[in-house]
Amino acid sequence: FSLCDRNKMFFSHFIKASPLLLLLLTISLHFPRSSPSSSEPEGITLDVSQAHKLLHDGYTFLDVRTVEEFEKGHVDSEKVFNVPYWFYTPQGQENNPNFLNHVSSLCNQTDPLLVGCKSGVRSLYATKDLVSSGFKTVRNMDGGYIAWIEKRLPVKVEQKELKYYEL
């Protein structure tokens, strides 16, 4: 038998003997080999209890939800800014092209920032963008405003001024 014939015999025996193992091997080759932690710097995402402590320690809260979401209620803290990370348009959601410039106009790259959104997804993207652009101390609030409310942490609702024609 040649080496090629031996390999054919081995693989045909392997396929007949273990179809489940072959299926699992084939499926595993289609998944990425990186772990979730490899895409996210260590310690960048914190739960809401840790986030609440950071706000008491002087962090600025950066809410990246839409203005409409923010006005319905947001984290209550001494320093809070609302800079939407994306907008909802008739075409779907679109990134805010001025996001980094707007944040840079409000904060220095050395300011400690805590980034939050509704559930923690937008804020994670925003956090990564901020770190990539040179911001030094940026943390993402896991679970977002939903988790904040569930823990019954302090919230603030913006009071909208009514125009005479809205009364």
Side-chain angles (χ1 to χ4, degrees):
F1 289 107
S2 71
L3 183 59
C4 186
D5 290 335
R6 283 187 203 157
N7 284 342
K8 285 180 186 175
M9 287 174 40
F10 172 78
F11 284 110
S12 67
H13 174 71
F14 179 78
I15 291 169
K16 289 176 188 170
S18 186
L20 181 60
L21 187 58
L22 180 63
L23 176 66
L24 291 173
L25 177 64
T26 304
I27 291 171
S28 72
L29 293 175
H30 293 285
F31 288 102
R33 297 209 180 337
S34 63
S35 66
S37 63
S38 68
S39 65
E40 182 180 319
E42 188 176 328
I44 202 166
T45 296
L46 308 168
D47 67 32
V48 291
S49 297
Q50 294 168 311
H52 187 242
K53 183 182 179 323
L54 289 181
L55 293 175
H56 283 289
D57 292 343
Y59 272 65
T60 297
F61 189 77
L62 178 62
D63 192 317
V64 297
R65 296 177 300 155
T66 63
V67 172
E68 294 80 15
E69 290 173 296
F70 181 81
E71 288 176 346
K72 291 178 184 175
H74 58 84
V75 168
D76 189 14
S77 185
E78 186 177 328
K79 294 183 279 184
V80 178
F81 295 117
N82 176 224
V83 181
Y85 184 70
W86 64 47
F87 301 108
Y88 296 107
T89 68
Q91 294 76 31
Q93 71 187 34
E94 293 183 15
N95 284 348
N96 176 354
N98 299 315
F99 176 74
L100 291 172
N101 288 335
H102 193 169
V103 175
S104 294
S105 73
L106 298 169
C107 307
N108 294 317
Q109 289 191 332
T110 56
D111 291 344
L113 299 176
L114 176 63
V115 185
C117 64
K118 181 178 179 180
S119 65
V121 176
R122 272 178 284 186
S123 57
L124 182 58
Y125 286 117
T127 297
K128 289 179 179 184
D129 284 355
L130 290 164
V131 169
S132 294
S133 73
F135 282 82
K136 307 295 182 220
T137 310
V138 187
R139 300 290 178 261
N140 174 52
M141 186 173 76
D142 191 35
Y145 188 63
I146 292 171
W148 186 269
I149 290 172
E150 286 174 356
K151 287 278 189 181
R152 298 178 187 246
L153 294 168
V155 298
K156 183 175 182 182
V157 177
E158 295 297 315
Q159 297 298 320
K160 181 181 173 185
E161 288 186 33
L162 295 175
K163 308 287 188 236
Y164 72 93
Y165 53 84
E166 294 177 318
L167 297 175

